[in-house]
Amino acid sequence: MSDPAQIGPRIKAVRTERGLTQDQLASAVGVSRSAVAQWETGRAGQVTGNLTRIAQCLDVGVEYLMYGMDKSAEEEVSHGDELALLRLYRECTPDDRQTLLRLARRLRATRPD
Amino acid sequence: MSDPAQIGPRIKAVRTERGLTQDQLASAVGVSRSAVAQWETGRAGQVTGNLTRIAQCLDVGVEYLMYGMDKSAEEEVSHGDELALLRLYRECTPDDRQTLLRLARRLRATRPD
DNA sequence: ACTCCTCGTCAGATTTTATAACCAATCGCG
DNA sequence: CGCGATTGGTTATAAAATCTGACGAGGAGT
């Protein structure tokens, strides 16, 4: 799941994307420039308690640094109407759920391209 | 955001919820029983590279141990049928989406209690 | 009272990590 | 071309962190 050896390159990738030098990230996190270099080159097995600060300074999620992405097996819903639909669906009986799924399939099949 | 001092009690809470002893969690993670006790009593400032293994063994997200909760602003979908519904919904036109939402409301309103 | 189980704490060995220093590559300037 | 500045990789080492095994306390059951 988590690949510690990949955290370093990932930190480097995000840092350069943000246009920061190692010195700048080091100052932001509160460590020496060498520490950042060692993180990025995989010398440090884990970046321990600094992980949260690094994520904050780079404006990226801790789980992104750890796993490379948010959970991929699950889907996130953030649109209000999709949330509403999901909640309504969950409050339906199994039969009604099947009805909704069938209608969704029919509507999708007849949509214009 | 992250409260390192709270990781310990959180580990303990999840462990006891799962009905595990410190010894059992220690065996699962691959450390001594003392290490688990120290994590839970806050002796260790951070639980370093073991955090991922702890989360795996306790069947909980790393971010939950670190922050106490998954992202609260978003909802996660993990059931296959819900994923299917969501995907179908997204492939529909706005008009068809409204149709689905209306039907869902009607079905929810007529469900037996 | 005794035994067992669970867990908190401690001393110490081991491991990890951050620092300062060193060095190399690149680039811009005179 | 030589020089200085900047950036970044690497190393030795001191300091800090972490884990282990041992010890002891409290509770439950017999």
Side-chain angles (χ1 to χ4, degrees):
Chain A
M1 182 184 285
S2 168
D3 195 347
Q6 288 303 315
I7 293 183
R10 211 166 282 137
I11 292 177
K12 176 168 183 167
V14 179
R15 175 179 63 80
T16 52
E17 275 169 23
R18 303 282 189 269
L20 295 175
T21 66
Q22 288 182 345
D23 237 332
Q24 288 170 320
L25 177 57
S27 295
V29 174
V31 294
S32 68
R33 204 267 318 161
S34 322
V36 175
Q38 289 180 59
W39 297 341
E40 295 185 354
T41 51
R43 191 163 297 272
Q46 276 287 356
V47 293
T48 72
N50 284 312
L51 198 55
T52 299
R53 285 186 60 79
I54 295 167
Q56 283 176 327
C57 294
L58 291 176
D59 195 22
V60 73
V62 168
E63 56 273 21
Y64 174 75
L65 292 180
M66 294 185 75
Y67 307 113
M69 61 186 70
D70 286 329
K71 289 170 184 162
S72 61
E74 297 177 9
E75 192 117 342
E76 286 180 4
V77 187
S78 55
H79 294 99
D81 58 341
E82 293 181 354
L83 277 172
L85 179 67
L86 217 43
R87 288 186 184 126
L88 292 166
Y89 179 85
R90 284 172 177 164
E91 293 175 2
C92 287
T93 66
D95 283 345
D96 286 345
R97 289 182 184 188
Q98 292 304 314
T99 302
L100 271 172
L101 281 163
R102 279 199 300 274
L103 176 61
R105 285 190 195 104
R106 284 219 311 278
L107 289 175
R108 190 270 308 263
T110 60
R111 70 177 173 163
D113 274 321
Chain B
M1 184 182 284
S2 168
D3 193 349
Q6 288 303 315
I7 293 183
R10 210 167 283 140
I11 291 176
K12 177 167 183 166
V14 179
R15 176 179 63 80
T16 51
E17 276 169 25
R18 304 276 188 272
L20 294 175
T21 66
Q22 287 181 347
D23 236 333
Q24 288 170 322
L25 177 56
S27 296
V29 174
V31 294
S32 67
R33 205 266 317 161
S34 320
V36 175
Q38 289 177 55
W39 298 340
E40 295 184 355
T41 51
R43 188 165 300 273
Q46 275 290 352
V47 293
T48 69
N50 285 313
L51 195 58
T52 301
R53 286 186 61 79
I54 294 167
Q56 282 175 327
C57 296
L58 291 177
D59 195 23
V60 73
V62 167
E63 56 273 19
Y64 174 77
L65 291 180
M66 293 184 75
Y67 308 112
M69 62 188 69
D70 286 328
K71 289 169 183 163
S72 59
E74 297 175 10
E75 189 120 344
E76 285 180 6
V77 186
S78 57
H79 293 99
D81 58 340
E82 293 181 354
L83 277 172
L85 178 67
L86 217 44
R87 288 186 185 127
L88 293 167
Y89 178 85
R90 284 172 178 164
E91 291 174 3
C92 287
T93 67
D95 283 345
D96 287 344
R97 289 182 184 187
Q98 290 306 312
T99 303
L100 270 171
L101 281 163
R102 280 199 300 273
L103 176 62
R105 285 190 195 105
R106 285 218 312 276
L107 291 173
R108 190 270 310 262
T110 59
R111 72 177 174 163
D113 274 321

